Amino acid sequence: MDKDYIFFQNLAQEIPEIPGHSIISRTIHSDEKVKVVLFGFAPGQELSEHTASMPAMLYIVSGEADLTLGNDRFSVQTGSLVHMSANLSHSIHARTPTTMLLLLLRNS
């Protein structure tokens, strides 16, 4: 029977140990309103500049990274949260092992 909720006790534990020089991604939920993807970055790994066709939110579950949003650069760490408009160019570069939650907001 399907449940009316999804529960994760500890998101950081949903990503196994991140192999060196790699990025892991896992979709943990998807419906007509939101797609939720958990990323794990090894130190030094990055998602190069790109855009998303829908609004999105990023939450840093653990670690430290450099984040670029348009022309602005930020140092982010555990607990950092950002909301991005659709089509905003952005990139992320992990300085330490980093776990990031991405929410793609459909129909927004």
Side-chain angles (χ1 to χ4, degrees):
M1 179 174 150
D2 289 329
K3 297 214 185 268
D4 291 330
Y5 61 89
I6 297 169
F7 176 74
F8 294 96
Q9 185 73 37
N10 185 334
L11 279 176
Q13 291 178 350
E14 294 299 314
I15 292 287
E17 185 174 325
I18 304 163
H21 307 293
S22 66
I23 299 172
I24 297 171
S25 68
R26 176 178 170 215
T27 299
I28 59 174
H29 177 75
S30 186
D31 64 25
E32 67 280 350
K33 294 183 180 183
V34 64
K35 180 176 182 179
V36 183
V37 183
L38 192 60
F39 284 87
F41 297 84
Q45 295 303 299
E46 70 179 317
L47 290 178
S48 59
E49 186 175 305
H50 62 284
T51 62
S53 61
M54 60 193 80
M57 295 181 75
L58 300 176
Y59 176 72
I60 305 300
V61 176
S62 64
E64 298 176 2
D66 296 315
L67 177 66
T68 301
L69 301 168
N71 294 322
D72 298 325
R73 297 191 67 166
F74 299 93
S75 177
V76 295
Q77 60 197 10
T78 301
S80 295
L81 174 72
V82 64
H83 177 274
M84 300 179 294
S85 298
N87 302 312
L88 177 69
S89 63
H90 59 281
S91 65
I92 186 164
H93 178 268
R95 293 193 315 267
T96 66
T98 300
T99 304
M100 178 187 80
L101 188 67
L102 168 67
L103 292 88
L104 294 166
L105 308 171
R106 299 175 172 150
N107 303 319
S108 295

